[in-house]
């Protein structure tokens, strides 16, 4: 038993074998459990939508939105989430830790942006569903609104990711504001 404990304290690449084992367990647990929960939520959402359609009543909006957001979570985000939990256990060299931090922050904000787009799509679909389905103007407006929302959401997420990575975004925001004023003045004439 003492030999096993001594082996677990053996240092490999700056971390004990115990830390490597815990990091591997955290990664595997996160990478298996969270996607499984995502699949369960997606399956239950489909079943509830079928049941609601069969009974002729809509699903509660909040429950449906949360289920749609959960099912739209990307595998890259789940992989990054597992990587995040694993790297919190290990003591990594500063450059590698910075690289992991960069990947985690960018992936996190991309997923937040994607959730924002999906929530916008959900809201627009609910609004579109209240009118005549054959209304071509509404369908065209839907696509335009979704495109504008997608650009705004991803731009906002990019700015937040840059801010989290330590980039000064105030000068960028000032430049965007001045550019916006110039475009507005040019459109007037």
């Amino acid at each position: 038993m003492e030999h096993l404990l001594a082996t677990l304290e053996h240092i490999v690449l700056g971390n004990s074998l115990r830390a490597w084992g815990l990091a591997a367990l955290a990664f595997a647990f996160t990478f298996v459990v969270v996607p499984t929960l995502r699949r369960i939520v997606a399956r239950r959402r489909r079943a509830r939508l079928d049941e609601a359609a069969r009974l002729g009543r809509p699903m509660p909006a909040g429950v449906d939105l949360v289920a749609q957001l959960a099912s739209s979570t990307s595998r890259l985000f789940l992989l990054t989430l597992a990587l995040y939990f694993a790297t919190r256990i290990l003591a990594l060299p500063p450059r590698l830790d910075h690289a992991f931090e960069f990947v985690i922050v960018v992936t996190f904000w991309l997923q937040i942006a994607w959730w924002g787009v999906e929530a916008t799509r959900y809201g627009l679909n609910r609004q579109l569903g209240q009118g005549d389905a054959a209304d071509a103007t509404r369908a065209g407006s839907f696509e335009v609104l979704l495109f504008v929302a997608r650009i705004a959401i991803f731009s906002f997420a990019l700015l937040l990711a840059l801010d989290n990575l330590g980039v000064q975004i105030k000068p960028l925001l000032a430049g965007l504001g001045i550019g916006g004023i110039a475009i507005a003045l040019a459109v007037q004439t």
Side-chain angles (χ1 to χ4, degrees):
M1 186 67 168
E2 287 181 28
H3 179 65
L4 177 63
L5 292 176
T7 304
L8 287 176
E9 296 307 319
H10 183 71
I11 303 298
V12 177
L13 298 174
N15 293 289
S16 67
L17 287 177
R18 177 182 308 207
W20 283 107
L22 288 174
L25 282 174
F27 181 87
F29 180 79
T30 306
F31 199 60
V32 170
V33 170
V34 176
T36 302
L37 290 174
R38 184 186 79 171
R39 281 191 298 276
I40 290 170
V41 167
R43 196 175 315 125
R44 283 195 175 176
R45 178 177 183 258
R46 283 191 299 273
R48 285 190 177 219
L49 283 173
D50 291 343
E51 180 183 340
R54 186 175 48 80
L55 295 174
R57 59 186 170 135
M59 230 174 111
V63 173
D64 191 29
L65 176 61
V66 169
Q68 182 174 344
L69 294 180
S71 63
S72 70
T73 303
S74 75
R75 291 182 185 193
L76 177 64
F77 176 72
L78 297 176
L79 176 67
T80 306
L81 186 67
L83 183 68
Y84 170 77
F85 287 127
T87 58
R88 296 303 105 194
I89 296 170
L90 300 173
L92 300 172
R95 289 183 73 171
L96 187 60
D97 194 42
H98 183 69
F100 280 139
E101 179 185 356
F102 177 82
V103 169
I104 289 167
V105 166
V106 169
T107 306
F108 172 78
W109 285 110
L110 282 174
Q111 182 61 54
I112 294 295
W114 186 249
W115 282 336
V117 169
E118 287 297 313
T120 303
R121 180 188 319 260
Y122 179 81
L124 289 174
N125 275 335
R126 285 184 65 87
Q127 288 295 80
L128 186 63
Q130 292 177 357
D132 182 16
D135 192 359
T137 306
R138 248 189 162 154
S141 298
F142 172 80
E143 292 302 322
V144 170
L145 287 172
L146 190 58
F147 177 74
V148 170
R150 190 178 294 132
I151 289 174
I153 290 168
F154 274 98
S155 298
F156 190 64
L158 175 67
L159 289 173
L160 288 172
L162 289 173
D163 186 44
N164 281 356
L165 292 171
V167 175
Q168 291 293 325
I169 63 168
K170 289 178 185 175
L172 181 61
L173 290 174
L176 289 173
I178 292 169
I181 291 171
I183 291 171
L185 289 173
V187 169
Q188 280 184 341
T189 58

